[in-house]
């Protein structure tokens, strides 16, 4: 059965893509493995840097075209899609500038020794549909700069983006085996991970998918990096700058059409300012312009897949059944495409089962908290540990709360986001390992100790 790409705003079939058969998979595995040996030993760091700079130039010059492609397959507003491409270009420029330092030998004080960061080989990556360019390129750029090659299984529904990315890297001057797509179904993944030519794997996706790959990787003694789900808490204390907190909460929850692992999904607000926050937040959500994602005025478009709409419908119904109260939205919109109204739910008990799921649709859950202790306890009462946000003007409180939160990243008086300069990743069911920054650049390398007497 072919892979299909559909426009989520209309349901129109954009393209069909036949999956790779066993012979093609074998060809691509062999090519990745053979290219890895050459890329590692015969292509210098300055040559790799030059490739990344050419990649950045192409991304910048093609940003609008690639943005339209992203919007057609994934549905986010065109302005956000173009911004995603430009962010990818900035990531390429950052690693071209700083990557050689990140990957340089590290001397060990007091010893005649150093740590050398060497490539692992061919890396298999499973990538999601919600950030179809940025998520792939933020993995590929430092991974290739370190001397590895990559094989990417992109999401079924963004195969147009997948093919564009493969061609982009070739257009930048890379050898054919440096970056290759694998158009495969889920049932072929385990065999790829287990193949002896694959040195490591990385997954961005659901917790279940990540754990399944990690199990196979573990059975075969291979490293795996997991960037999985999230249910990020957004903590607002009574001394917060309320207007800014409201604005950033709306942005965090509903940007990227609310389909982000680091969105503010659980908003925990101090009792004394809760009513004011709720009213202002509700007003901000109701003001979101929902519609055609290619229209310049649109702030919120369709969900990427009909399955996401169905999941959101089920989760909203569960929330109501478990005590939640819908303040706005709560239903699919009566129009073509995968449109679901931006939704706010209050009064849900935090111990309700639905409060412990990741909601990957446009649903914000509001909770009252009595004090700092309860806010921390509720924030940590989740299997996830990706990001968190703390809003307060009290530096001592901020320090206490940041230290107590179970999260891979905590943002203070701002919203959680990724940046090529800073490490990104989570703990608990949100995964392990890091992308981006110096830590991310070294994640898929062999940190080899070289010691001399």
């Amino acid at each position: 059965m072919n892979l299909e790409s559909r426009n989520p705003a209309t349901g129109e079939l954009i393209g069909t893509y036949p999956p790779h058969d066993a012979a093609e998979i074998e060809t691509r595995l062999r090519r990745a493995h053979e290219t890895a040996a050459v890329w590692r030993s015969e292509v210098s760091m300055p040559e790799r840097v030059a490739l990344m700079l050419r990649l950045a130039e192409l991304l910048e010059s093609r940003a609008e075209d690639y943005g339209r492609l992203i919007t057609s397959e994934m549905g986010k507003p065109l302005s956000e899609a173009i911004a995603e491409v430009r962010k990818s270009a900035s990531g390429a420029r950052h690693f071209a500038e700083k990557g050689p330092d990140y990957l340089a030998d590290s001397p060990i004080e007091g010893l005649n020794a150093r740590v050398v960061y060497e490539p692992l080989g061919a890396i298999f990556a499973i990538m999601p549909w919600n950030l179809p360019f940025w998520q792939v390129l933020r993995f590929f750029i430092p991974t290739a700069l370190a001397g590895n090659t990559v094989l990417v299984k992109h999401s079924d529904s963004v195969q147009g983006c997948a093919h564009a990315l493969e061609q982009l890297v070739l257009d930048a001057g890379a050898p054919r085996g440096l970056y290759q797509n694998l158009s495969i179904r889920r049932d072929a993944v385990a065999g790829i991970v287990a193949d002896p030519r694959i040195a490591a794997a990385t997954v961005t996706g659901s917790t279940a998918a990540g754990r399944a790959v990690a199990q196979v990787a573990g059975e075969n003694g291979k490293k795996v990096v997991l960037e999985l789900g999230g249910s990020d808490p957004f903590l607002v204390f009574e001394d917060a700058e309320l207007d800014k907190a409201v604005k950033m909460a709306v942005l965090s929850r509903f940007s990227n059409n609310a389909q982000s692992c680091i969105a503010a999904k659980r908003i925990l607000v101090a009792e004394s300012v809760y009513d004011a926050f709720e009213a202002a937040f509700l007003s901000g959500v109701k003001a979101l312009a929902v519609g055609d994602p290619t229209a310049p005025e649109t702030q919120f478009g369709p969900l990427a897949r009909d399955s996401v709409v169905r999941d959101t419908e089920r989760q909203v119904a569960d929330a109501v059944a478990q005590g939640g109260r819908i303040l706005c939205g709560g239903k699919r919109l009566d129009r073509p495409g995968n449109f679901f109204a931006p939704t706010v739910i209050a009064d849900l008990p935090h111990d309700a089962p639905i409060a412990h799921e990741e909601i990957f649709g446009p649903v914000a859950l509001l909770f009252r908290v009595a004090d700092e202790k309860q806010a921390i306890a509720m924030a940590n009462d989740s299997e996830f540990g990706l990001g968190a946000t703390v809003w307060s003007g009290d530096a001592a409180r901020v320090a206490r709360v940041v230290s107590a939160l179970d999260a891979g990243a905590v943002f203070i008086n701002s919203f959680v986001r990724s940046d090529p300069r800073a490490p990104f990743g989570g703990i608990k069911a949100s995964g392990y390992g890091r992308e981006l920054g110096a830590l991310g650049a070294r994640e898929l390398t062999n940190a080899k100790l070289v010691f001399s007497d």
Side-chain angles (χ1 to χ4, degrees), residues 39 46-61 92-93 96 168-174:
W39 185 251
E47 290 174 298
R48 296 177 201 165
V49 165
L51 174 70
M52 299 311 162
L53 290 173
R54 291 194 297 271
L55 191 77
E57 291 170 0
L58 289 173
L59 286 164
E60 289 161 352
S61 67
R93 291 195 180 280
L168 165 70
V169 178
L170 290 173
D171 291 348

Side-chain angles (χ1 to χ4, degrees), residues 2-9 12-17 68-75 127-133 153-163 182-186 259 303-308 338 360:
N2 289 338
L3 308 179
E4 290 187 349
S5 171
R6 290 185 177 274
N7 186 324
E12 173 192 2
L13 179 65
I14 299 172
T16 58
Y17 303 86
R68 283 190 287 271
L69 174 61
I70 291 169
T71 294
S72 72
E73 290 197 312
M74 181 266 167
M127 290 289 147
W129 45 260
N130 62 323
L131 292 161
F133 267 64
K153 180 202 177 302
H154 216 326
S155 177
D156 295 1
S157 60
V158 290
Q159 287 298 298
C161 290
H163 285 254
L182 279 179
S183 297
I184 57 175
R185 295 288 187 183
R186 291 179 185 176
Q259 297 161 125
L303 303 186
R305 301 180 177 195
D306 184 67
S307 61
V308 181
N338 303 330
F360 217 66

